[in-house]
């Protein structure tokens, strides 16, 4: 179990999260718990990334508010960030794979929120991937944003 995403826990020690990515991972934990599960999936990671972004960053990434609302509904959540819930969670094998992909995408740099979205798109279930793509976040578009140097907050 990973207590702090910057603390290796069960994850390899070379997971270096930026502050924005660490906040997104913690938000993913709250999203999972709020939705009634103690297992964080790539879908929860995607929700954590999107809900932890400042409103202007989320709008730049998903300009259509209705699209954001549809994405949240498809992933089983509301549009507001889930409240903090002080319980422990487990990361599913797919979520741990998403972390590994995010680390590979980041290379020697810190893992940023967009790297986590790439991981969620690579390891999410079909419903998660379809919801992200429908919202305008297909894998190659997210990778283009990273390549364009959009940084931690799109």
């Amino acid at each position: 179990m990973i207590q702090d995403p910057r603390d290796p826990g069960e994850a390899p020690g070379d997971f270096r999260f930026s502050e924005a990515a660490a906040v997104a991972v913690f938000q993913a934990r709250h999203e999972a718990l709020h939705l009634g599960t103690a297992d964080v999936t790539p879908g929860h990671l995607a929700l954590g990334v999107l809900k932890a972004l400042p409103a202007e960053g989320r709008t730049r990434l998903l300009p259509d508010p209705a699209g954001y609302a549809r994405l949240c509904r498809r992933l089983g959540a509301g549009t507001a960030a889930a409240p903090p819930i002080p319980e422990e969670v487990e990361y599913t094998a797919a979520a741990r794979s998403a972390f590994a992909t995010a680390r590979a995408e980041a290379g020697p740099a810190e893992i940023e929120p967009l790297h986590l979205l790439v991981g969620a798109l690579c390891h999410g279930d079909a419903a998660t991937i379809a919801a992200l793509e429908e919202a305008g976040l297909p894998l190659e578009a997210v990778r283009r944003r990273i390549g364009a140097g959009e940084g931690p907050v799109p």
Side-chain angles (χ1 to χ4, degrees):
M1 193 168 338
I2 300 174
Q3 302 282 330
D4 175 338
R6 289 168 288 193
D7 176 350
E10 290 184 8
D14 56 351
F15 278 74
R16 291 186 8 229
F17 292 87
S18 69
E19 188 62 31
V23 170
V25 170
F26 275 108
Q27 188 60 45
R29 294 174 57 186
H30 301 312
E31 295 299 325
L33 290 167
H34 190 70
L35 294 172
T37 182
D39 296 319
V40 176
T41 66
H44 299 124
L45 288 175
L47 285 169
V49 167
L50 296 171
K51 291 183 178 186
L53 287 173
E56 64 275 3
R58 187 173 45 249
T59 300
R60 285 188 55 210
L61 193 59
L62 294 169
D64 176 18
Y68 171 66
R70 275 192 308 278
L71 170 62
C72 291
R73 273 194 312 278
R74 289 203 50 195
L75 295 177
T79 56
I85 302 172
E87 291 187 29
E88 298 304 320
V89 297
E90 295 287 334
Y91 294 90
T92 64
R96 289 190 303 274
S97 294
F99 285 140
T101 296
R103 181 185 59 218
E105 291 285 326
E110 290 183 325
I111 297 169
E112 297 290 353
L114 290 177
H115 298 128
L116 291 171
L117 276 181
V118 169
L121 283 159
C122 288
H123 300 284
D125 61 17
T128 296
I129 294 166
L132 288 165
E133 288 176 345
E134 180 184 288
L137 294 172
L139 178 60
E140 290 311 313
V142 175
R143 281 188 169 141
R144 275 193 303 276
R145 287 177 175 276
I146 293 169
E150 292 209 18
V153 179

